[in-house]
Amino acid sequence: MGAVTLSLGRVSWVFLGLALWLVLFALGLYSLVTHPPRILTPPPPAPGLRGTLYAQDGTPLALSLKEGRYYPLGTSASQLLGFGERGSGRGLEGLERDLNAALEAGRSFTLTLDPWIQAMAERALWEGLARSRGAFGALVVMDRDGNLRAVANGPAFDPLAPRKDPAKDVSWRNHAFLVPLEVGSTMKPFTAAMLLEEGKATLATRVEAPMHRVVDGWSIRDAVPHPPVLTLAEVLRYSSNVGISLLAEALPKQVFYRYMERLHLTDPSPLPGVRVAAPVVNPPNAWSPAAYANHSFGQGFLVTPLHLAAAFNALVDGTYRSPRLFTHQEARSEQVFSQATARAIRQALQEGLAPRARLAGYPLAGKTGTAQVVVNGRYSQEVFTAWFAGFVPGDQPLYTVVVAIHYPKGEVYGSQVAAPIFREVAAGLLAYRGVPPYAEGR
């Protein structure tokens, strides 16, 4: 009797549990019907890291870490690379700005820069800038194929340091690309090349060149004492404004301007995809006789150091090659001068090389420039840009080098300020490439 009672009790508990489960299930079903759940959308995946900028040898120049954007080489190439907004990383200057959309999408780029050449160029520029007490400077190294191996700017800039007032501190600026300047006498080799190419003169052509002449009411003066009669080669050696402007009269100004176009000295976009300041050049129909004379020796128009470097590179073999900053960039070229013309001009620049640009054992070639700067509508007697543009080495160039120092104090001439910087860069490049000194008489 007791066993039967126990069995009935167990059955009762089973039914009671089943009934309780059914009640709870019904309540749950009722809740689902009357209060349907919200479908939660999963959070979007974390955005990918910003793309990396690499040097030609694979050295990372700008990359993203958890802490933010990082520049492994510090101040090296910092003005070219630029910087981004704190927190968001959005590019504000330099390549960080120019390539912002692609970098945000995670795309990476390899630049043509050589980190060793970049560092060597910066050291020479920064030391020269300190010696001259200049306001700012730029130095461009381009190989004969148009690849930019160094784009140096000074003073040095730390992209991760607290930023100063950009209106007062211009160290952040890529002067090589963004500051158009008058090029002064570095224009004279182009004028000479035009004369040779058009059959209007040879390097032996003689011209009566007094120390002063007046054109259309404007005075043109020479700074370096020289004989009263000069050959075209001597016009380059003595950097005679009078001599080159007289010889240039054999060229119609439209022909002169056409060569400027072919050398891309009027090109607002010499480096597609990268912000470069447009040249400031009036069309030839707006040139007075005095303006044309000034153009022949590099006054009256403005171009960036990048423009000048690419144009000067055309004197390697007569071919203009568009500057290349990215390894994937298409190479573009155009014949401007014959190889004979380019070789003749480089030979003249080698023989007339400024003393402070010379390097024992090596035939360097190049041209100085000292450009007056317009201040308050007039050419200043105190503010100049000191230039040097040349080839390393001069007879069979491996590199074209352009140096610009703006507003040097004390010594102001390109032969005094920019030429020694060129010599130091040339010495470093020749050592880097393992080029031994030439035997005497070679």
Side-chain angles (χ1 to χ4, degrees), residues 120-440:
M120 179 267 298
E122 285 169 335
R123 182 182 66 182
L125 177 67
W126 295 343
E127 291 177 353
L129 192 61
R131 285 194 305 268
S132 68
R133 293 173 290 138
F136 61 81
L139 195 160
V140 176
V141 179
M142 178 180 289
D143 69 18
R144 59 183 296 132
D145 294 322
N147 297 304
L148 291 166
R149 298 307 188 188
V151 179
N153 292 277
F157 170 71
D158 183 352
L160 297 180
R163 290 166 200 154
K164 304 174 184 176
D165 182 351
K168 298 178 180 178
D169 174 27
V170 297
S171 64
W172 58 269
R173 189 171 59 195
N174 182 4
H175 313 292
F177 287 11
L178 299 180
V179 182
L181 300 162
E182 294 197 4
V183 298
S185 293
T186 58
M187 185 65 191
K188 288 172 184 166
F190 299 125
T191 305
M194 296 175 201
L195 289 164
L196 267 60
E197 195 71 14
E198 293 295 315
K200 301 299 183 180
T202 70
L203 289 175
T205 298
R206 297 163 66 86
V207 60
E208 291 188 10
M211 293 296 295
H212 168 260
R213 71 180 289 226
V214 176
V215 179
D216 201 25
W218 290 84
S219 293
I220 297 175
R221 301 180 184 276
D222 287 347
V224 179
H226 57 71
V229 177
L230 301 173
T231 64
L232 176 54
E234 291 170 334
V235 165
L236 295 176
R237 171 178 294 183
Y238 290 105
S239 200
S240 172
N241 297 336
V242 172
I244 199 69
S245 62
L246 284 167
L247 288 168
E249 291 179 351
L251 289 170
K253 58 186 179 180
Q254 290 80 6
V255 173
F256 186 97
Y257 184 80
R258 188 162 64 245
Y259 274 102
M260 290 185 69
E261 289 181 312
R262 295 173 66 190
L263 290 165
H264 291 254
L265 293 174
T266 63
D267 189 350
S269 302
L271 194 54
V274 176
R275 191 163 51 116
V276 177
V280 181
V281 187
N282 290 324
N285 58 13
W287 297 355
S288 66
Y292 180 31
N294 285 343
H295 277 56
S296 71
F297 53 83
Q299 284 191 341
F301 66 94
L302 310 173
V303 299
T304 69
L306 174 67
H307 282 91
L308 182 62
F312 228 80
N313 202 49
L315 294 175
V316 169
D317 61 2
T319 300
Y320 177 89
R321 294 175 175 85
S322 296
R324 297 178 71 241
L325 183 59
F326 306 103
T327 56
H328 70 273
Q329 186 179 339
E330 180 185 1
R332 295 178 299 162
S333 62
E334 175 188 359
Q335 195 74 27
V336 180
F337 305 115
S338 68
Q339 291 192 27
T341 292
R343 185 167 54 250
I345 296 299
R346 283 189 287 101
Q347 180 66 30
L349 297 182
Q350 182 179 322
E351 294 172 355
L353 189 65
R356 295 195 195 183
R358 294 174 185 167
L359 187 63
Y362 295 97
L364 304 180
K367 184 70 188 75
T368 61
T370 308
Q372 287 178 285
V373 176
V374 174
V375 178
N376 297 325
R378 300 179 62 86
Y379 280 110
S380 172
Q381 298 300 316
E382 298 178 353
V383 184
F384 299 87
T385 302
W387 291 90
F388 193 94
F391 306 101
V392 183
D395 57 346
Q396 297 177 355
L398 297 171
Y399 301 100
T400 296
V401 178
V402 164
V403 182
I405 301 294
H406 185 71
Y407 196 7
K409 313 324 187 274
E411 293 183 324
V412 299
Y413 292 107
S415 60
Q416 301 166 325
V417 176
I421 300 174
F422 167 80
R423 179 182 60 198
E424 184 174 347
V425 172
L429 290 171
L430 292 164
Y432 181 51
R433 293 294 296 266
V435 180
Y438 286 20
E440 190 171 347

